[in-house]
Amino acid sequence: MDLKQTIVDRPSHINWRALVLPILVILGLEIGGHVLPLETEFWPVPSQIATAGWAALLNGSLLNATLETLTAATLGLLLGGSVGLAGGITLGLFPVANKLLTFSIEAVRPIPPTAIIPVALLVLGAGMTMEVSIVAFSAAWPILIFTRSAIQSVEPRLIEVSKVLCLGFFSRVWKIVLPAALPRIFVALRLAVAIALVVCVTVEVTANPIGLGYGMRVAQQALRPDLMFAYLVWIGVVGWSLNLLLTSLQKLLVWRQADEGR
Amino acid sequence: MYMLHRFERPLWFLGSVLVALGFIGIWQIVASSGLVSNVFLPGPDRTFRALLAGLESGVLTGKFFSTVQHMFYGWFIASLIGISLGAIIGTSRMAQVYVAPSLELLRPLPASALVPVAIAFLGLSTSMVLFIIGFGALWPMLLSTIHGFTSVEPRLNEVSRILRLTKMQYIFKIALPNAMPDILAGMRLSLTVALILAVVGEMLSGQDGLGQWILASGRMFRSPDLFAGVILLGALGYMSATLLTWFEQWVLRWRNEG
């Protein structure tokens, strides 16, 4: 679900009216911070945040932390995504397996992913492995559910065609079922990417001493609110760019499909 | 044939329960075979004993209800703010042009990234937990309310103009009923988010609740208690989703009556 007005609605087009509010807020904070008798150690003004962020960018600590977070998110997505995809395809193709596993899935799925943090911490200890496994656990569910329903709703005539053509099981999945279900699987992927980033930052803030979330915690505990806010803004930028990237990819995919259908 | 059809659904359900019991059996076998150390993986027997002991002594029950409280209050605050803000943005052209895109900037920000900020300003308090839950749960509600308000059938808009409805009358008689299905879907999503963030908030603030309980149990290697807490959290997630589904069906019953 997208809002109608966005800041960048096409890559070349920037919606200037949308930028009025953010610019006013930043200016207001900057001027207010200088005029009002606040202690800047606790209330950093935007220029201080930008300076701290720029310094962290130059000494590489910000990029290093970003790399750690994105690595964990990507590995977790790959792992959880393939498990979810395989599971979703299996359950979508074999109604018997789906019906028999309903109860087990519905029993495990409502567990909040953050509740897995202590379990992973106990079994795997802090580090990359633990973060990857939690991301995998949380990303697998939406992909499994979406893939299953996408495959269940593949046009039955396509399946009949594949039977008439005497396609084998694997070529039927690869040539007929997956392409037909792809757009909806991609929606799930977009959802899962957003989830992966959120889970990564959550795990890092809560328990794991790597990545952007931990960088924020350290800045907060070292009484560097300027750096803490710089991390916060940066996390927002990373999340926003990922979302933009996936939205354009999705548009490209849907556009190609519509094109081929003509 | 009719009889068979009638029993089909309960039979499949029974089958899937049996499969789930089979999984628990496998869990028991793996745990008692010693393949995985008991420190990490307590068997279902020890887990359920810990669960029962915790419920009988009232310790786990207390933690359960404080998590419910955090989750509910944070979600409730987020619902109030989300629906009213969404109604304002959804009915005002100005707000859609100038305010809505900025929300798009804030939305991808993980709520947990605000935890260090919230700790710096609010300390390790209940209000910090509620702030985190409220912030995270706000977005699904806000976006779905805006969507519901902006997708009113154009003819209804024309009718309301002809009837000279005031803005308030328009909101309560036309826009809000129209947005109700979207709002309820948003409420369901944000309830899930609220539980996830309640656990995070409790872990970090040490405020009483299941999140704090499972983190402490894990650190002290009391794995049966840890697993009991995780099971309770799963049950809480399931119950809250089910309750809201019932509520949704009750509120939207007019849609099926036609």
Side-chain angles (χ1 to χ4, degrees):
Chain A
M1 180 185 345
D2 288 324
L3 297 178
K4 279 171 187 159
Q5 305 276 333
T6 52
I7 289 186
V8 187
D9 38 13
R10 288 190 299 276
S12 55
H13 180 249
I14 293 170
N15 186 352
W16 291 108
R17 286 191 297 180
L19 285 176
V20 172
L21 185 68
I23 290 172
L24 277 183
V25 167
I26 291 172
L27 278 181
L29 285 175
E30 181 76 38
I31 294 167
H34 287 296
V35 174
L36 298 173
L38 295 172
E39 289 177 63
T40 43
E41 292 95 74
F42 292 104
W43 295 94
V45 293
S47 59
Q48 287 171 323
I49 296 171
T51 320
W54 183 242
L57 199 63
L58 284 187
N59 70 24
S61 57
L62 194 58
L63 289 180
N64 202 18
T66 313
L67 192 69
E68 283 172 345
T69 300
L70 289 184
T71 312
T74 314
L75 290 178
L77 259 180
L78 282 177
L79 186 64
S82 15
V83 171
L85 199 63
I89 292 175
T90 316
L91 295 181
L93 287 176
F94 302 106
V96 175
N98 185 29
K99 282 176 186 161
L100 284 178
L101 286 173
T102 308
F103 191 82
S104 311
I105 289 176
E106 291 310 312
V108 179
R109 193 162 71 107
I111 296 177
T114 42
I116 306 296
I117 295 176
V119 180
L121 207 58
L122 177 70
V123 178
L124 302 166
M128 192 59 103
T129 329
M130 164 257 196
E131 195 169 319
V132 168
S133 56
I134 297 173
V135 173
F137 174 82
S138 4
W141 292 113
I143 299 211
L144 183 131
I145 303 295
F146 272 68
T147 309
R148 183 178 64 180
S149 73
I151 287 184
Q152 281 168 346
S153 62
V154 167
E155 170 74 49
R157 276 187 220 159
L158 283 177
I159 310 279
E160 283 165 24
V161 166
S162 72
K163 277 181 190 151
V164 171
L165 290 175
C166 295
L167 290 182
F169 177 72
F170 284 105
S171 52
R172 178 159 47 135
V173 170
W174 186 247
K175 287 182 181 156
I176 307 272
V177 175
L178 272 186
L182 202 59
R184 292 185 64 190
I185 295 177
F186 203 86
V187 173
L189 183 69
R190 209 183 120 192
L191 196 66
V193 169
I195 291 177
L197 185 69
V198 172
V199 170
C200 274
V201 173
T202 308
V203 172
E204 288 160 4
V205 165
T206 319
N208 210 12
I210 57 168
L212 290 170
Y214 182 66
M216 263 194 100
R217 282 284 280 174
V218 170
Q220 179 242 323
Q221 280 161 1
L223 297 181
R224 286 281 314 276
D226 48 346
L227 188 60
M228 174 179 81
F229 278 108
Y231 266 103
L232 183 67
V233 173
W234 180 254
I235 292 173
V237 169
V238 171
W240 189 76
S241 329
L242 271 179
N243 190 41
L244 190 70
L245 184 78
L246 281 160
T247 318
S248 355
L249 262 178
Q250 193 181 0
K251 272 183 195 152
L252 202 71
L253 190 83
V254 173
W255 172 75
R256 243 195 65 192
Q257 240 210 356
D259 223 32
E260 282 171 356
R262 222 173 276 152
Chain B
M1 205 55 208
Y2 171 74
M3 288 297 278
L4 206 69
H5 202 70
R6 197 173 147 200
F7 286 115
E8 205 182 311
R9 273 176 67 105
L11 276 180
W12 278 118
F13 179 75
L14 199 68
S16 75
V17 172
L18 284 179
V19 170
L21 286 177
F23 280 125
I24 295 179
I26 296 173
W27 172 17
Q28 179 70 62
I29 291 166
V30 171
S32 35
S33 70
L35 271 173
V36 186
S37 163
N38 267 348
V39 180
F40 299 145
L41 186 76
D45 50 345
R46 287 173 62 211
T47 304
F48 286 116
R49 229 177 289 142
L51 186 61
L52 283 181
L55 290 178
E56 265 168 36
S57 65
V59 180
L60 269 178
T61 327
K63 309 266 176 205
F64 181 82
F65 282 113
S66 36
T67 302
V68 170
Q69 236 169 39
H70 290 149
M71 175 180 158
F72 180 75
Y73 284 135
W75 174 76
F76 190 68
I77 298 168
S79 303
L80 284 185
I81 300 178
I83 294 173
S84 30
L85 209 59
I88 294 172
I89 295 174
T91 47
S92 148
R93 187 84 202 111
M94 281 280 281
Q96 274 166 49
V97 173
Y98 289 99
V99 181
S102 303
L103 300 177
E104 196 83 343
L105 280 184
L106 282 175
R107 183 172 60 132
L109 197 68
S112 46
L114 278 173
V115 168
V117 180
I119 291 178
F121 287 102
L122 297 169
L124 300 172
S125 59
T126 314
S127 39
M128 173 273 199
V129 179
L130 292 183
F131 172 77
I132 294 301
I133 300 173
F135 181 85
L138 178 68
W139 298 107
M141 201 91 71
L142 181 62
L143 294 174
S144 54
T145 308
I146 296 177
H147 182 258
F149 267 81
T150 47
S151 63
V152 175
E153 162 85 12
R155 273 186 221 162
L156 285 177
N157 283 334
E158 286 161 18
V159 167
S160 68
R161 232 173 291 140
I162 292 170
L163 292 176
R164 306 202 177 187
L165 295 184
T166 61
K167 190 146 194 170
M168 271 309 171
Q169 282 172 323
Y170 171 74
I171 289 178
F172 282 104
K173 292 194 169 148
I174 305 231
L176 199 60
N178 183 72
M180 220 45 206
D182 286 303
I183 292 177
L184 283 165
M187 282 174 115
R188 199 138 67 130
L189 197 57
S190 47
L191 196 62
T192 317
V193 175
L195 178 59
I196 292 173
L197 289 173
V199 175
V200 175
E202 285 162 5
M203 279 181 186
L204 284 167
S205 69
Q207 292 288 318
D208 202 35
L210 286 173
Q212 171 261 340
W213 163 266
I214 56 174
L215 193 67
S217 305
R219 291 217 164 121
M220 288 187 270
F221 294 97
R222 292 194 323 238
S223 53
D225 287 342
L226 165 60
F227 275 61
V230 173
I231 289 175
L232 267 186
L233 280 169
L236 178 52
Y238 183 79
M239 284 190 285
S240 51
T242 313
L243 275 179
L244 206 60
T245 309
W246 286 346
F247 179 69
E248 202 174 332
Q249 278 164 358
W250 180 72
V251 172
L252 297 180
R253 64 192 182 284
W254 53 270
R255 280 212 303 193
N256 303 325
E257 276 167 8

